[in-house]
Amino acid sequence: MSRPGHDPSAPIAPREAVDAFIERWTDTGGKERANYQLFLTELCRLLELPGPEPATENDADDAYVFERRVDIAWPDGTTTRGYIDLYRRGHFVLEAKRVSQEVESSRWDKAMLRAANQADTYIRALPADEGRPPFLLTC
């Protein structure tokens, strides 16, 4: 099985696995904090990608983890702590949000914009020596 524009030797999830994933996650009425880690872990598995690693006590060691801690410095001199939902050093910051499927598109758009702004704040709070990931993802 192959996709146009992709390496034909690269494995692709069988259609049945994709359908099962979609069915499992459709209409969960999900709770963001309760579900996003399981959802993303299963998505990685479906796509045959490596999943996140366990977090450590040392943020500098946490190159691909859920809940990557960052300290956000504000212009007024205060600092707050934030947690990146999913972080992969040099690749992306992902911020997950729960938005009901029943909401009108303008509310969904606003929720995703808030998630993107939050992720952008986290990217700017990462230590400079880690670099800035090229991708900001929301889901």
Side-chain angles (χ1 to χ4, degrees), residues 3 5 27 132 134:
R3 295 177 283 190
D27 298 326
R132 300 293 182 249

Side-chain angles (χ1 to χ4, degrees), residues 88-93 123 126 130-137:
R88 186 161 188 188
R89 184 176 297 136
H91 295 270
F92 63 84
V93 162
I123 287 170
L126 287 164
E130 290 188 22
R132 300 293 182 249
F135 296 101
L136 180 159
L137 308 171

Side-chain angles (χ1 to χ4, degrees), residues 17 26 34 44 49 63 76 79 84 96 107-108 117 119 136:
T26 299
C44 286
L49 296 171
D76 66 2
T79 301
I84 300 170
R107 280 188 56 210
W108 187 89
N117 287 334
L136 180 159

Side-chain angles (χ1 to χ4, degrees), residues 12 41 71:
I12 299 176
T41 299
D71 292 323

Side-chain angles (χ1 to χ4, degrees), residues 64-82:
Y64 186 24
V65 294
F66 289 112
E67 298 296 320
R68 169 58 156 80
R69 185 178 59 212
V70 290
D71 292 323
I72 304 161
W74 298 102
D76 66 2
T78 61
T79 301
T80 57
R81 178 148 292 160

Side-chain angles (χ1 to χ4, degrees), residues 43-61:
L43 180 61
C44 286
R45 190 175 308 126
L46 177 72
L47 298 173
E48 298 182 359
L49 296 171
E53 299 292 327
T56 69
E57 290 294 321
N58 183 356
D59 294 329
D61 293 336

